[in-house]
Amino acid sequence: MRMKIDDENCTGHGRCAKYAPNVFRLDDDGYNVDRGSEIEVPAGEEKTALLGMKSCPERAITIVEE
Ligand code: SF4
């Protein structure tokens, strides 16, 4: 599963990493370090990745349809 983190919509709430720390990482300012690009969700982390995605108040994280 791939996910995309939107550069403009990510405003640094940090919730994604709180719910899915093995999928999303934050920089020192609380923004998703992968904003503006796509990530591959590690095997077995799909459920937590979806939780993290849904927790984002800006809807900055979306699933990349393959
Ligand atoms: S929860 Fe959303 S806005 Fe906050 S850091 Fe994660 S992607 Fe960005």
Side-chain angles (χ1 to χ4, degrees):
M1 178 192 284
R2 291 184 70 77
M3 289 186 168
K4 184 177 192 301
I5 297 94
D6 188 274
D7 191 18
E8 285 181 20
N9 288 348
C10 175
T11 50
H13 294 278
R15 289 199 204 168
C16 53
K18 185 176 164 213
Y19 285 94
N22 295 329
V23 180
F24 304 113
R25 292 168 300 133
L26 305 180
D27 64 18
D28 290 341
D29 297 318
Y31 288 80
N32 192 310
V33 294
D34 295 304
R35 67 189 189 281
S37 56
E38 294 180 5
I39 61 162
E40 183 69 39
V41 175
E45 294 284 345
E46 292 85 358
K47 231 177 186 173
T48 50
L50 289 171
L51 266 181
M53 180 185 91
K54 288 177 187 163
S55 76
C56 176
E58 307 298 334
R59 303 253 184 269
I61 304 170
T62 50
I63 295 172
V64 178
E65 303 292 344
E66 313 213 18

Short mmCIF file of all heavy atoms in Angstrom, two decimals:
data_model
loop_
_atom_site.label_atom_id
_atom_site.label_comp_id
_atom_site.label_asym_id
_atom_site.label_seq_id
_atom_site.Cartn_x
_atom_site.Cartn_y
_atom_site.Cartn_z
N MET A 1 0.85 -1.19 0.00
CA MET A 1 0.00 0.00 0.00
C MET A 1 0.88 1.25 0.00
O MET A 1 1.86 1.32 0.73
CB MET A 1 -0.89 0.00 1.25
CG MET A 1 -1.78 1.23 1.39
SD MET A 1 -2.53 1.34 3.04
CE MET A 1 -3.79 0.10 2.93
N ARG A 2 0.51 2.19 -0.87
CA ARG A 2 1.27 3.44 -0.90
C ARG A 2 0.36 4.59 -0.44
O ARG A 2 -0.85 4.57 -0.68
CB ARG A 2 1.77 3.73 -2.32
CG ARG A 2 2.84 2.76 -2.77
CD ARG A 2 3.38 3.12 -4.13
NE ARG A 2 4.17 4.34 -4.13
CZ ARG A 2 5.43 4.42 -3.70
NH1 ARG A 2 6.03 3.36 -3.23
NH2 ARG A 2 6.09 5.56 -3.73
N MET A 3 0.97 5.56 0.21
CA MET A 3 0.23 6.74 0.64
C MET A 3 0.98 7.99 0.22
O MET A 3 2.21 7.98 0.12
CB MET A 3 0.03 6.73 2.16
CG MET A 3 -0.94 5.68 2.63
SD MET A 3 -1.27 5.80 4.40
CE MET A 3 -2.68 4.71 4.52
N LYS A 4 0.20 9.04 0.01
CA LYS A 4 0.81 10.31 -0.39
C LYS A 4 0.52 11.34 0.71
O LYS A 4 -0.60 11.39 1.24
CB LYS A 4 0.16 10.76 -1.71
CG LYS A 4 0.75 12.02 -2.28
CD LYS A 4 0.09 12.31 -3.62
CE LYS A 4 0.81 13.39 -4.41
NZ LYS A 4 0.91 14.67 -3.75
N ILE A 5 1.51 12.12 1.04
CA ILE A 5 1.32 13.19 2.03
C ILE A 5 1.39 14.52 1.28
O ILE A 5 2.43 14.85 0.68
CB ILE A 5 2.39 13.14 3.15
CG1 ILE A 5 2.26 11.82 3.94
CG2 ILE A 5 2.19 14.30 4.11
CD1 ILE A 5 3.14 10.72 3.48
N ASP A 6 0.30 15.22 1.31
CA ASP A 6 0.22 16.48 0.57
C ASP A 6 1.06 17.57 1.23
O ASP A 6 0.98 17.78 2.45
CB ASP A 6 -1.25 16.92 0.47
CG ASP A 6 -1.40 18.11 -0.44
OD1 ASP A 6 -1.24 19.26 0.04
OD2 ASP A 6 -1.65 17.90 -1.63
N ASP A 7 1.86 18.21 0.41
CA ASP A 7 2.78 19.22 0.94
C ASP A 7 2.04 20.42 1.53
O ASP A 7 2.35 20.89 2.62
CB ASP A 7 3.69 19.67 -0.21
CG ASP A 7 4.85 20.50 0.29
OD1 ASP A 7 5.13 20.44 1.50
OD2 ASP A 7 5.46 21.21 -0.51
N GLU A 8 1.05 20.91 0.81
CA GLU A 8 0.36 22.14 1.26
C GLU A 8 -0.59 21.89 2.42
O GLU A 8 -0.73 22.73 3.31
CB GLU A 8 -0.42 22.76 0.09
CG GLU A 8 0.49 23.46 -0.90
CD GLU A 8 -0.30 24.09 -2.03
OE1 GLU A 8 -1.52 24.30 -1.86
OE2 GLU A 8 0.31 24.33 -3.07
N ASN A 9 -1.25 20.73 2.39
CA ASN A 9 -2.25 20.48 3.43
C ASN A 9 -1.66 20.06 4.77
O ASN A 9 -2.30 20.21 5.81
CB ASN A 9 -3.24 19.40 2.97
CG ASN A 9 -4.17 19.91 1.91
OD1 ASN A 9 -4.24 21.12 1.67
ND2 ASN A 9 -4.88 19.02 1.23
N CYS A 10 -0.46 19.51 4.76
CA CYS A 10 0.16 19.12 6.03
C CYS A 10 0.57 20.39 6.77
O CYS A 10 1.43 21.13 6.34
CB CYS A 10 1.39 18.24 5.78
SG CYS A 10 2.27 17.85 7.31
N THR A 11 -0.10 20.59 7.92
CA THR A 11 0.19 21.81 8.67
C THR A 11 0.78 21.51 10.04
O THR A 11 0.75 22.35 10.94
CB THR A 11 -1.10 22.65 8.82
OG1 THR A 11 -2.14 21.82 9.31
CG2 THR A 11 -1.50 23.26 7.49
N GLY A 12 1.29 20.29 10.19
CA GLY A 12 2.11 20.00 11.37
C GLY A 12 1.36 19.66 12.64
O GLY A 12 1.83 19.97 13.73
N HIS A 13 0.24 18.99 12.52
CA HIS A 13 -0.47 18.59 13.75
C HIS A 13 0.20 17.40 14.43
O HIS A 13 0.03 17.21 15.63
CB HIS A 13 -1.92 18.20 13.42
CG HIS A 13 -2.74 19.34 12.93
ND1 HIS A 13 -3.32 20.24 13.78
CD2 HIS A 13 -3.05 19.73 11.69
CE1 HIS A 13 -3.99 21.15 13.06
NE2 HIS A 13 -3.82 20.86 11.79
N GLY A 14 0.89 16.58 13.64
CA GLY A 14 1.64 15.46 14.21
C GLY A 14 0.81 14.26 14.62
O GLY A 14 1.33 13.32 15.20
N ARG A 15 -0.47 14.28 14.33
CA ARG A 15 -1.30 13.16 14.79
C ARG A 15 -1.00 11.87 14.04
O ARG A 15 -1.11 10.79 14.61
CB ARG A 15 -2.78 13.51 14.59
CG ARG A 15 -3.26 14.55 15.55
CD ARG A 15 -4.76 14.51 15.64
NE ARG A 15 -5.28 15.78 16.06
CZ ARG A 15 -6.56 16.10 16.01
NH1 ARG A 15 -7.42 15.26 15.51
NH2 ARG A 15 -6.96 17.27 16.43
N CYS A 16 -0.64 11.99 12.78
CA CYS A 16 -0.36 10.79 11.98
C CYS A 16 0.70 9.94 12.66
O CYS A 16 0.55 8.72 12.78
CB CYS A 16 0.07 11.18 10.56
SG CYS A 16 1.44 12.36 10.51
N ALA A 17 1.76 10.58 13.12
CA ALA A 17 2.87 9.84 13.73
C ALA A 17 2.50 9.33 15.12
O ALA A 17 3.06 8.34 15.59
CB ALA A 17 4.09 10.74 13.82
N LYS A 18 1.56 9.99 15.76
CA LYS A 18 1.13 9.51 17.08
C LYS A 18 0.39 8.18 16.94
O LYS A 18 0.60 7.25 17.71
CB LYS A 18 0.21 10.56 17.71
CG LYS A 18 -0.20 10.23 19.13
CD LYS A 18 -1.03 11.35 19.73
CE LYS A 18 -1.75 10.83 20.96
NZ LYS A 18 -3.04 11.43 21.17
N TYR A 19 -0.44 8.08 15.92
CA TYR A 19 -1.22 6.86 15.73
C TYR A 19 -0.46 5.79 14.97
O TYR A 19 -0.74 4.61 15.11
CB TYR A 19 -2.53 7.18 14.99
CG TYR A 19 -3.53 7.85 15.88
CD1 TYR A 19 -3.63 9.23 15.92
CD2 TYR A 19 -4.38 7.10 16.69
CE1 TYR A 19 -4.54 9.87 16.74
CE2 TYR A 19 -5.29 7.71 17.53
CZ TYR A 19 -5.37 9.10 17.55
OH TYR A 19 -6.26 9.72 18.38
N ALA A 20 0.47 6.19 14.12
CA ALA A 20 1.23 5.22 13.31
C ALA A 20 2.71 5.61 13.29
O ALA A 20 3.24 5.99 12.25
CB ALA A 20 0.64 5.17 11.90
N PRO A 21 3.38 5.44 14.43
CA PRO A 21 4.78 5.88 14.52
C PRO A 21 5.74 5.09 13.65
O PRO A 21 6.83 5.57 13.35
CB PRO A 21 5.10 5.68 16.01
CG PRO A 21 4.12 4.67 16.50
CD PRO A 21 2.87 4.89 15.70
N ASN A 22 5.34 3.88 13.23
CA ASN A 22 6.22 3.10 12.35
C ASN A 22 5.99 3.40 10.88
O ASN A 22 6.64 2.83 10.02
CB ASN A 22 6.02 1.61 12.60
CG ASN A 22 6.43 1.22 14.01
OD1 ASN A 22 7.34 1.82 14.58
ND2 ASN A 22 5.76 0.22 14.58
N VAL A 23 5.04 4.28 10.61
CA VAL A 23 4.72 4.62 9.22
C VAL A 23 5.07 6.08 8.91
O VAL A 23 5.71 6.38 7.90
CB VAL A 23 3.22 4.39 8.92
CG1 VAL A 23 2.90 4.74 7.47
CG2 VAL A 23 2.82 2.95 9.25
N PHE A 24 4.65 6.96 9.81
CA PHE A 24 4.84 8.39 9.58
C PHE A 24 5.86 8.95 10.57
O PHE A 24 5.84 8.61 11.75
CB PHE A 24 3.51 9.14 9.75
CG PHE A 24 2.42 8.60 8.87
CD1 PHE A 24 1.32 7.95 9.42
CD2 PHE A 24 2.48 8.73 7.49
CE1 PHE A 24 0.31 7.44 8.61
CE2 PHE A 24 1.48 8.22 6.67
CZ PHE A 24 0.39 7.58 7.24
N ARG A 25 6.73 9.81 10.07
CA ARG A 25 7.74 10.43 10.92
C ARG A 25 7.60 11.94 10.83
O ARG A 25 7.20 12.48 9.79
CB ARG A 25 9.14 10.02 10.48
CG ARG A 25 9.43 8.53 10.72
CD ARG A 25 10.69 8.09 10.02
NE ARG A 25 10.56 8.28 8.57
CZ ARG A 25 11.48 8.85 7.80
NH1 ARG A 25 12.61 9.27 8.32
NH2 ARG A 25 11.28 8.99 6.51
N LEU A 26 7.95 12.60 11.91
CA LEU A 26 7.82 14.06 11.97
C LEU A 26 9.19 14.72 11.97
O LEU A 26 10.16 14.16 12.49
CB LEU A 26 7.07 14.48 13.23
CG LEU A 26 5.68 13.88 13.46
CD1 LEU A 26 5.10 14.41 14.76
CD2 LEU A 26 4.74 14.16 12.29
N ASP A 27 9.24 15.93 11.42
CA ASP A 27 10.48 16.70 11.56
C ASP A 27 10.43 17.47 12.89
O ASP A 27 9.48 17.34 13.67
CB ASP A 27 10.70 17.61 10.34
CG ASP A 27 9.61 18.67 10.20
OD1 ASP A 27 8.88 18.94 11.18
OD2 ASP A 27 9.50 19.24 9.09
N ASP A 28 11.43 18.27 13.13
CA ASP A 28 11.53 18.96 14.42
C ASP A 28 10.40 19.96 14.65
O ASP A 28 10.12 20.36 15.78
CB ASP A 28 12.87 19.71 14.52
CG ASP A 28 14.02 18.72 14.66
OD1 ASP A 28 13.76 17.56 15.03
OD2 ASP A 28 15.18 19.12 14.40
N ASP A 29 9.73 20.38 13.57
CA ASP A 29 8.62 21.33 13.69
C ASP A 29 7.27 20.64 13.73
O ASP A 29 6.23 21.30 13.73
CB ASP A 29 8.67 22.31 12.52
CG ASP A 29 9.95 23.14 12.55
OD1 ASP A 29 10.35 23.57 13.64
OD2 ASP A 29 10.55 23.34 11.48
N GLY A 30 7.25 19.30 13.71
CA GLY A 30 6.00 18.56 13.80
C GLY A 30 5.32 18.29 12.48
O GLY A 30 4.19 17.80 12.45
N TYR A 31 6.02 18.57 11.39
CA TYR A 31 5.46 18.26 10.07
C TYR A 31 5.89 16.86 9.65
O TYR A 31 6.95 16.38 10.07
CB TYR A 31 5.97 19.25 9.01
CG TYR A 31 5.41 20.63 9.13
CD1 TYR A 31 5.92 21.53 10.07
CD2 TYR A 31 4.38 21.05 8.31
CE1 TYR A 31 5.42 22.81 10.18
CE2 TYR A 31 3.86 22.32 8.41
CZ TYR A 31 4.38 23.21 9.34
OH TYR A 31 3.87 24.46 9.46
N ASN A 32 5.07 16.24 8.84
CA ASN A 32 5.42 14.94 8.29
C ASN A 32 6.64 15.09 7.37
O ASN A 32 6.61 15.89 6.44
CB ASN A 32 4.21 14.39 7.51
CG ASN A 32 4.38 12.93 7.15
OD1 ASN A 32 5.40 12.52 6.61
ND2 ASN A 32 3.37 12.16 7.47
N VAL A 33 7.70 14.35 7.66
CA VAL A 33 8.94 14.52 6.88
C VAL A 33 8.75 14.14 5.41
O VAL A 33 9.52 14.57 4.56
CB VAL A 33 10.12 13.70 7.45
CG1 VAL A 33 10.53 14.21 8.81
CG2 VAL A 33 9.80 12.23 7.49
N ASP A 34 7.75 13.32 5.13
CA ASP A 34 7.53 12.87 3.75
C ASP A 34 6.50 13.70 3.01
O ASP A 34 6.04 13.29 1.94
CB ASP A 34 7.11 11.39 3.75
CG ASP A 34 8.22 10.49 4.27
OD1 ASP A 34 9.32 10.54 3.71
OD2 ASP A 34 7.98 9.75 5.25
N ARG A 35 6.15 14.85 3.55
CA ARG A 35 5.15 15.67 2.86
C ARG A 35 5.69 16.06 1.49
O ARG A 35 6.88 16.36 1.33
CB ARG A 35 4.76 16.89 3.68
CG ARG A 35 5.84 17.90 3.88
CD ARG A 35 5.36 18.94 4.90
NE ARG A 35 6.25 20.08 5.00
CZ ARG A 35 7.40 20.07 5.67
NH1 ARG A 35 7.79 18.98 6.30
NH2 ARG A 35 8.17 21.14 5.71
N GLY A 36 4.79 16.00 0.53
CA GLY A 36 5.21 16.28 -0.85
C GLY A 36 5.65 15.05 -1.60
O GLY A 36 6.00 15.13 -2.76
N SER A 37 5.57 13.89 -0.93
CA SER A 37 5.96 12.67 -1.65
C SER A 37 5.12 11.48 -1.21
O SER A 37 4.24 11.60 -0.35
CB SER A 37 7.45 12.39 -1.46
OG SER A 37 7.75 12.31 -0.09
N GLU A 38 5.43 10.34 -1.81
CA GLU A 38 4.71 9.11 -1.49
C GLU A 38 5.58 8.21 -0.62
O GLU A 38 6.80 8.27 -0.69
CB GLU A 38 4.37 8.36 -2.79
CG GLU A 38 3.38 9.10 -3.68
CD GLU A 38 3.08 8.32 -4.95
OE1 GLU A 38 3.55 7.17 -5.10
OE2 GLU A 38 2.38 8.88 -5.80
N ILE A 39 4.91 7.38 0.18
CA ILE A 39 5.65 6.40 0.99
C ILE A 39 5.06 5.02 0.75
O ILE A 39 3.89 4.88 0.38
CB ILE A 39 5.58 6.72 2.50
CG1 ILE A 39 4.11 6.71 2.99
CG2 ILE A 39 6.25 8.04 2.82
CD1 ILE A 39 3.99 6.59 4.49
N GLU A 40 5.86 4.02 0.98
CA GLU A 40 5.40 2.63 0.95
C GLU A 40 5.11 2.24 2.40
O GLU A 40 6.00 2.34 3.25
CB GLU A 40 6.48 1.74 0.34
CG GLU A 40 6.08 0.28 0.20
CD GLU A 40 4.99 0.07 -0.85
OE1 GLU A 40 5.03 0.73 -1.90
OE2 GLU A 40 4.10 -0.76 -0.60
N VAL A 41 3.88 1.86 2.68
CA VAL A 41 3.53 1.43 4.04
C VAL A 41 4.19 0.08 4.31
O VAL A 41 4.01 -0.85 3.52
CB VAL A 41 2.00 1.33 4.20
CG1 VAL A 41 1.64 0.77 5.58
CG2 VAL A 41 1.35 2.70 3.99
N PRO A 42 4.95 -0.04 5.40
CA PRO A 42 5.61 -1.32 5.68
C PRO A 42 4.59 -2.44 5.87
O PRO A 42 3.48 -2.21 6.37
CB PRO A 42 6.36 -1.05 7.00
CG PRO A 42 6.48 0.44 7.10
CD PRO A 42 5.28 0.99 6.40
N ALA A 43 4.97 -3.64 5.48
CA ALA A 43 4.08 -4.80 5.61
C ALA A 43 3.65 -4.95 7.06
O ALA A 43 4.47 -4.84 7.98
CB ALA A 43 4.81 -6.06 5.15
N GLY A 44 2.37 -5.19 7.27
CA GLY A 44 1.83 -5.37 8.61
C GLY A 44 1.42 -4.08 9.30
O GLY A 44 0.85 -4.11 10.39
N GLU A 45 1.70 -2.94 8.66
CA GLU A 45 1.39 -1.64 9.28
C GLU A 45 0.17 -0.98 8.62
O GLU A 45 -0.12 0.19 8.89
CB GLU A 45 2.59 -0.70 9.17
CG GLU A 45 3.80 -1.13 9.97
CD GLU A 45 3.65 -0.88 11.47
OE1 GLU A 45 2.75 -0.12 11.87
OE2 GLU A 45 4.44 -1.47 12.24
N GLU A 46 -0.51 -1.73 7.76
CA GLU A 46 -1.61 -1.13 6.99
C GLU A 46 -2.71 -0.56 7.90
O GLU A 46 -3.22 0.53 7.65
CB GLU A 46 -2.22 -2.15 6.01
CG GLU A 46 -1.29 -2.55 4.88
CD GLU A 46 -0.33 -3.68 5.25
OE1 GLU A 46 -0.35 -4.13 6.41
OE2 GLU A 46 0.45 -4.11 4.38
N LYS A 47 -3.06 -1.33 8.93
CA LYS A 47 -4.16 -0.90 9.81
C LYS A 47 -3.80 0.39 10.55
O LYS A 47 -4.61 1.32 10.63
CB LYS A 47 -4.46 -2.01 10.83
CG LYS A 47 -5.91 -2.38 10.90
CD LYS A 47 -6.09 -3.52 11.87
CE LYS A 47 -7.53 -4.00 11.83
NZ LYS A 47 -7.72 -5.20 12.64
N THR A 48 -2.60 0.43 11.11
CA THR A 48 -2.21 1.63 11.84
C THR A 48 -2.01 2.81 10.88
O THR A 48 -2.28 3.95 11.23
CB THR A 48 -0.91 1.40 12.66
OG1 THR A 48 0.06 0.81 11.82
CG2 THR A 48 -1.15 0.54 13.85
N ALA A 49 -1.55 2.50 9.65
CA ALA A 49 -1.39 3.58 8.67
C ALA A 49 -2.74 4.22 8.35
O ALA A 49 -2.85 5.44 8.24
CB ALA A 49 -0.75 3.03 7.39
N LEU A 50 -3.78 3.38 8.24
CA LEU A 50 -5.12 3.91 7.98
C LEU A 50 -5.61 4.75 9.16
O LEU A 50 -6.26 5.79 8.97
CB LEU A 50 -6.10 2.77 7.69
CG LEU A 50 -5.90 2.08 6.34
CD1 LEU A 50 -6.77 0.82 6.25
CD2 LEU A 50 -6.21 3.03 5.18
N LEU A 51 -5.30 4.30 10.37
CA LEU A 51 -5.66 5.08 11.56
C LEU A 51 -4.98 6.45 11.52
O LEU A 51 -5.60 7.49 11.78
CB LEU A 51 -5.21 4.35 12.82
CG LEU A 51 -6.20 3.44 13.53
CD1 LEU A 51 -5.54 2.86 14.77
CD2 LEU A 51 -7.46 4.21 13.90
N GLY A 52 -3.70 6.42 11.22
CA GLY A 52 -2.95 7.67 11.11
C GLY A 52 -3.50 8.58 10.03
O GLY A 52 -3.62 9.79 10.22
N MET A 53 -3.85 7.98 8.91
CA MET A 53 -4.41 8.75 7.80
C MET A 53 -5.72 9.43 8.23
O MET A 53 -5.92 10.62 8.00
CB MET A 53 -4.67 7.81 6.61
CG MET A 53 -5.24 8.49 5.40
SD MET A 53 -5.66 7.30 4.10
CE MET A 53 -7.36 6.95 4.52
N LYS A 54 -6.58 8.66 8.90
CA LYS A 54 -7.88 9.21 9.30
C LYS A 54 -7.75 10.23 10.42
O LYS A 54 -8.63 11.05 10.62
CB LYS A 54 -8.80 8.06 9.73
CG LYS A 54 -9.27 7.24 8.55
CD LYS A 54 -10.11 6.07 9.01
CE LYS A 54 -10.43 5.15 7.84
NZ LYS A 54 -10.89 3.83 8.29
N SER A 55 -6.66 10.16 11.17
CA SER A 55 -6.48 11.09 12.29
C SER A 55 -6.04 12.47 11.83
O SER A 55 -6.09 13.43 12.60
CB SER A 55 -5.46 10.54 13.28
OG SER A 55 -4.14 10.68 12.76
N CYS A 56 -5.60 12.58 10.58
CA CYS A 56 -5.09 13.87 10.10
C CYS A 56 -6.25 14.85 9.90
O CYS A 56 -7.10 14.63 9.05
CB CYS A 56 -4.34 13.68 8.79
SG CYS A 56 -3.79 15.26 8.09
N PRO A 57 -6.28 15.93 10.67
CA PRO A 57 -7.40 16.87 10.57
C PRO A 57 -7.42 17.64 9.25
O PRO A 57 -8.44 18.22 8.90
CB PRO A 57 -7.19 17.81 11.76
CG PRO A 57 -5.78 17.63 12.16
CD PRO A 57 -5.32 16.31 11.70
N GLU A 58 -6.32 17.62 8.54
CA GLU A 58 -6.24 18.35 7.27
C GLU A 58 -6.50 17.46 6.06
O GLU A 58 -6.44 17.92 4.93
CB GLU A 58 -4.86 19.00 7.12
CG GLU A 58 -4.43 19.85 8.29
CD GLU A 58 -5.34 21.04 8.52
OE1 GLU A 58 -5.97 21.49 7.56
OE2 GLU A 58 -5.43 21.51 9.67
N ARG A 59 -6.74 16.18 6.31
CA ARG A 59 -6.91 15.21 5.22
C ARG A 59 -5.73 15.27 4.25
O ARG A 59 -5.90 15.22 3.03
CB ARG A 59 -8.21 15.46 4.47
CG ARG A 59 -9.44 15.44 5.34
CD ARG A 59 -10.26 14.18 5.10
NE ARG A 59 -11.50 14.16 5.85
CZ ARG A 59 -11.62 13.64 7.07
NH1 ARG A 59 -10.58 13.14 7.68
NH2 ARG A 59 -12.78 13.61 7.68
N ALA A 60 -4.54 15.40 4.81
CA ALA A 60 -3.35 15.55 3.99
C ALA A 60 -2.81 14.22 3.48
O ALA A 60 -1.99 14.18 2.58
CB ALA A 60 -2.26 16.27 4.79
N ILE A 61 -3.30 13.12 4.07
CA ILE A 61 -2.79 11.80 3.69
C ILE A 61 -3.85 11.06 2.88
O ILE A 61 -5.00 10.97 3.30
CB ILE A 61 -2.41 10.98 4.93
CG1 ILE A 61 -1.39 11.75 5.79
CG2 ILE A 61 -1.85 9.61 4.54
CD1 ILE A 61 -1.14 11.13 7.15
N THR A 62 -3.43 10.55 1.73
CA THR A 62 -4.37 9.81 0.88
C THR A 62 -3.72 8.51 0.42
O THR A 62 -2.49 8.40 0.37
CB THR A 62 -4.78 10.62 -0.36
OG1 THR A 62 -3.60 11.12 -0.99
CG2 THR A 62 -5.68 11.80 0.03
N ILE A 63 -4.56 7.55 0.09
CA ILE A 63 -4.07 6.29 -0.46
C ILE A 63 -3.80 6.49 -1.95
O ILE A 63 -4.59 7.11 -2.66
CB ILE A 63 -5.11 5.17 -0.26
CG1 ILE A 63 -5.31 4.90 1.24
CG2 ILE A 63 -4.69 3.90 -1.00
CD1 ILE A 63 -6.46 3.95 1.54
N VAL A 64 -2.66 5.96 -2.39
CA VAL A 64 -2.32 6.02 -3.82
C VAL A 64 -2.88 4.75 -4.47
O VAL A 64 -2.49 3.65 -4.13
CB VAL A 64 -0.79 6.09 -4.02
CG1 VAL A 64 -0.45 6.10 -5.49
CG2 VAL A 64 -0.22 7.32 -3.31
N GLU A 65 -3.83 4.97 -5.37
CA GLU A 65 -4.41 3.83 -6.09
C GLU A 65 -3.41 3.32 -7.11
O GLU A 65 -2.83 4.09 -7.84
CB GLU A 65 -5.71 4.26 -6.80
CG GLU A 65 -6.77 4.85 -5.88
CD GLU A 65 -7.37 3.84 -4.90
OE1 GLU A 65 -7.21 2.63 -5.13
OE2 GLU A 65 -8.01 4.27 -3.92
N GLU A 66 -3.22 2.00 -7.13
CA GLU A 66 -2.22 1.45 -8.06
C GLU A 66 -2.88 0.86 -9.29
O GLU A 66 -4.01 0.52 -9.29
CB GLU A 66 -1.40 0.39 -7.35
CG GLU A 66 -0.97 0.92 -5.99
CD GLU A 66 0.37 0.41 -5.55
OE1 GLU A 66 1.13 -0.08 -6.39
OE2 GLU A 66 0.67 0.53 -4.37
S1 SF4 B 1 -1.49 14.67 11.00
FE1 SF4 B 1 -1.67 15.53 8.93
S2 SF4 B 1 -1.17 17.68 9.16
FE2 SF4 B 1 -0.40 16.62 10.95
S3 SF4 B 1 1.73 16.09 10.51
FE3 SF4 B 1 0.47 14.36 9.94
S4 SF4 B 1 0.04 14.68 7.76
FE4 SF4 B 1 0.70 16.62 8.59
#
